[in-house]
Amino acid sequence: MAGWFKRLLHKPKPRSVESSLNTSHSSSSSPSSSSAESSSTSLTRSTRSSPVLVSDITASGSARWAKSYDVCICHSEVDLEVVEELVSYLEGQPESFRCFLQLRDAAPGSAVVTELCDAVQNSHCWVMLITPGFLQDPWCKYQMHQALAEAPMANGRTIPVLKDVDRKDYPKELRNLYYIYMKENSFRQIRDTVVRYLQDLCRSSMSTTE
């Protein structure tokens, strides 16, 4: 009787249990999609737990008001017509974006270099309208370099927009950034990118004050 009981205690584990253990071991020993999904789900939940609404962006205490402008449009003078359309679109949105348009907003009598630098430093985002005219204009390149120096990691602040330019001519300084190709819904894409940056800015500001 004692021998039978001893054999029972040393009976091998059921196959289903071994299979379960093996499965568990293999999923944890590799950078599996399940762990990636888990962290992705966690990140999504974290983001959703503290959403930032458009109303938060426009609130009086928003971090948005720390700078004079939401968007600085970097462009060549030959592209002024399309730039004025973009500015009209952005300023007419419910968020009432504050745009810096050089020919309209630069102080008369001020040095060009000073105005360009101030526009970059006092704006949250910079839209680079990259056209053949932009590529040939030294002031456009100067302002582009100023923006990159202001925020080397970009983080959504620099928004390249290509118009009538081949991909091979895309400035090498911006090649680590995704760009928007000018087409029918480009203005909407630009608006959404600016909103996303301002939402991240407000979320970051809220988390540091909590």
Side-chain angles (χ1 to χ4, degrees), residues 177-191:
L177 303 178
Y178 286 110
Y179 57 79
I180 295 172
Y181 202 87
M182 184 66 80
K183 52 186 179 181
E184 187 176 344
N185 65 338
S186 298
F187 286 6
R188 176 74 182 187
Q189 285 181 280
I190 295 169
R191 177 259 175 199

Side-chain angles (χ1 to χ4, degrees), residues 78-92:
V78 299
D79 301 309
L80 185 59
E81 184 177 349
V82 67
V83 169
E84 288 178 332
E85 290 179 15
L86 172 60
V87 168
S88 178
Y89 173 85
L90 292 174
E91 293 181 340

Side-chain angles (χ1 to χ4, degrees), residues 31-49:
S32 63
S33 58
S34 61
S35 62
E37 285 178 14
S38 174
S39 63
S40 175
T41 303
S42 172
L43 180 61
T44 302
R45 287 175 182 165
S46 173
T47 301
R48 288 177 179 171
S49 64

Side-chain angles (χ1 to χ4, degrees), residues 6 28-29 49 64 66 89 148 156 167 186 195 208:
K6 191 174 181 179
S28 62
S29 63
S49 64
R64 172 187 181 186
Y89 173 85
L148 293 174
R167 186 174 179 179
S186 298
V195 167
T208 56

Side-chain angles (χ1 to χ4, degrees), residues 76 112 116 133-145:
S76 168
V112 175
L116 293 180
F134 182 101
L135 297 175
Q136 296 171 9
D137 190 328
W139 287 117
C140 289
K141 291 186 178 181
Y142 176 82
Q143 198 166 23
M144 176 182 70
H145 290 142

Side-chain angles (χ1 to χ4, degrees), residues 9 27 53 61 83 85 100 115 148 157 175 192 194 199 202 207-208:
L9 291 177
S27 66
L53 306 175
V83 169
E85 290 179 15
F100 178 87
E115 287 297 313
L148 293 174
R157 295 185 69 182
R175 287 184 182 173
D192 290 347
V194 175
Q199 286 177 323
C202 291
S207 65
T208 56

